[in-house]
Every structure is written in structure tokens, then in C-alpha cells.
């Protein structure tokens, strides 16, 4: 007993099967773009084949291949050197916009405590950084600054200058020293560390002026 079947034959002839495969692959779903490495290999292979086993001037084909690889390496090096300055500029921009507060949740007293420990071991970098952070945190606690995270040392100095006009210059100097140590990888001097500590103490003793202007 046989059953009628209107579809394609289940045992197609060789030409028919080949045509089916050609039709299937023609859809494009089986094609992939070669990677840059594959294209490079093909380019070098084509270069070697073009010289028929010999490079320019009668040199062996492998010499042409080595020259091609050296050319590619030089090109990659040149591109990387062009990209690095942009990366360094971006890094400097990110550092410049970084806030003065590295440890969220620390109070001004906490920073002063850390600075006292650093002072005992003559770590002038840590004294300078933590006393300036204490200065900034204290301004927040006294509602002279609305928020501290995200502010730079320079922004803190600019915001507090109208509040403590008699300390405008020391604030600017302390902010510059903070940035030089924190982001410029410079070393703080004993004088800079003590100046930051004295400025922090002086602002605590000073009555702020026009505090409402810096709360935003």
C-alpha cells in the first residue's frame, strides 16, 4: 500500500541535494564576517602568494611575511600612542572632578583623629589630607555646605571663602596643596601639614559670615 506524498523526495538525487544546499546557504544565515585577525592572516597569505615564494628583490617569502608583521606591529604601536594621551587626559579630568571625601560617613572628629595619629608618625601627607577633609566635613556639620560628596578641594575653598573672608588665601593654599598631594603625587611638607591643621582650628573658632549663600 502506498501513500500519496506531494512534498520533496525523501531520497533526492545528488544534483537535487546540492541545489538544496546552495539555496539554504544563499539565505545568508550561515555567513559570518571574518575577524580582524583572520583578515590579517589572509592578507599576509595573499602577500606571500603574490610573490610566488619570493619577496621583492628576490628575498624569500618568509622575509616578506616578517616585514608585513613588523609593519602591523608598528601600526598598532602608533595607534596606541595616539590613544594614550586621550586616556591620560580623561584620567586627569576624572581625578580633577573627584571629591575631597574618600571615606563616606566619617565625621570631622574622625578625620582629626586620623590626622593626630599621622602627626605622631610624621606622615605629613596624611596630616594635610585629613585635616582638610576635617575642615570640609566640619563645614557640612555646621550647615555651611549643603553636601560634601562630589565636591573638589577647590570647590570647598571657593564656597567657604565668602563665609570666612579673612581666611580666603589660606583656604586657596590648602586646597592647592591638597590637590598636589592627592592627585599630583607630590609630598606635603611639615609646614603645609601644620598650616592645614591651623586653618581647620581657626575656622572652628571663627564665626561664619553670610552662611546662607553657600548652602546650595
Amino acid at each position: 500500500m502506498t501513500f500519496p506524498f506531494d512534498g520533496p523526495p525523501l531520497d533526492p538525487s545528488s544534483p537535487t541535494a546540492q541545489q538544496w544546499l546552495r539555496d539554504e546557504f544563499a539565505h545568508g544565515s550561515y555567513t559570518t564576517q571574518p575577524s580582524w585577525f583572520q583578515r590579517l592572516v589572509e592578507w599576509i597569505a595573499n602577500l606571500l602568494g603574490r610573490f610566488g615564494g619570493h619577496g621583492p628583490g628576490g628575498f624569500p617569502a618568509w622575509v616578506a611575511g616578517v616585514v608585513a608583521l613588523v609593519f602591523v606591529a608598528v601600526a598598532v604601536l602608533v595607534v596606541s600612542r595616539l590613544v594614550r594621551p586621550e586616556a591620560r587626559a580623561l584620567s586627569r579630568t576624572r581625578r580633577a572632578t573627584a571629591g575631597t571625601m574618600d571615606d563616606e560617613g566619617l565625621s570631622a572628629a574622625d578625620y582629626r583623629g586620623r590626622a593626630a595619629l599621622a602627626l605622631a608618625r610624621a606622615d605629613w601627607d596624611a596630616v594635610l589630607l585629613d585635616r582638610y577633609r576635617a575642615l570640609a566635613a566640619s563645614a557640612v556639620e555646621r550647615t555651611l555646605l549643603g553636601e560634601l560628596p562630589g565636591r573638589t578641594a577647590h570647590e570647598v575653598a571657593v564656597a567657604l571663602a565668602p563665609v570666612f573672608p579673612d581666611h580666603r588665601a589660606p583656604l586657596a593654599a590648602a586646597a592647592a596643596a591638597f590637590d598636589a598631594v592627592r592627585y599630583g603625587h607630590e609630598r606635603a611638607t611639615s609646614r603645609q601639614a601644620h598650616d592645614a591643621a591651623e586653618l581647620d582650628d581657626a575656622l572652628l573658632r571663627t564665626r561664619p559670615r553670610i552662611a546662607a549663600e553657600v548652602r546650595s
Side-chain angles (χ1 to χ4, degrees), residues 42-129:
E42 292 176 358
W43 177 75
I44 294 175
N46 292 334
L47 180 64
L48 297 179
R50 184 180 305 171
F51 295 124
H54 293 280
F59 289 104
W62 65 268
V63 175
V66 171
V67 172
L69 290 177
V70 171
F71 174 79
V72 172
V74 172
V76 171
L77 179 62
V78 171
V79 172
S80 65
R81 287 186 177 275
L82 292 176
V83 172
R84 283 177 184 174
E86 297 180 0
R88 286 195 294 266
L90 178 60
S91 179
R92 286 194 297 269
T93 301
R94 288 175 176 174
R95 289 197 302 266
T97 58
T100 63
M101 305 292 287
D102 290 343
D103 302 304
E104 295 184 5
L106 292 185
S107 65
D110 293 331
Y111 284 121
R112 293 186 183 107
R114 292 201 323 190
L117 295 176
L119 180 63
R121 62 178 185 272
D123 186 350
W124 308 126
D125 289 356
V127 173
L128 169 64
L129 297 178

Side-chain angles (χ1 to χ4, degrees), residues 166-188:
D166 295 337
H167 298 87
R168 186 185 303 269
L171 278 167
F178 182 98
D179 287 340
V181 173
R182 181 66 179 85
Y183 306 118
H185 305 292
E186 297 183 12
R187 301 304 303 270

Side-chain angles (χ1 to χ4, degrees), residues 23 61 70 112 116 139-140 148 150 183 198:
D23 293 342
V70 171
R112 293 186 183 107
V140 174
L148 193 57
Y183 306 118
E198 292 172 3

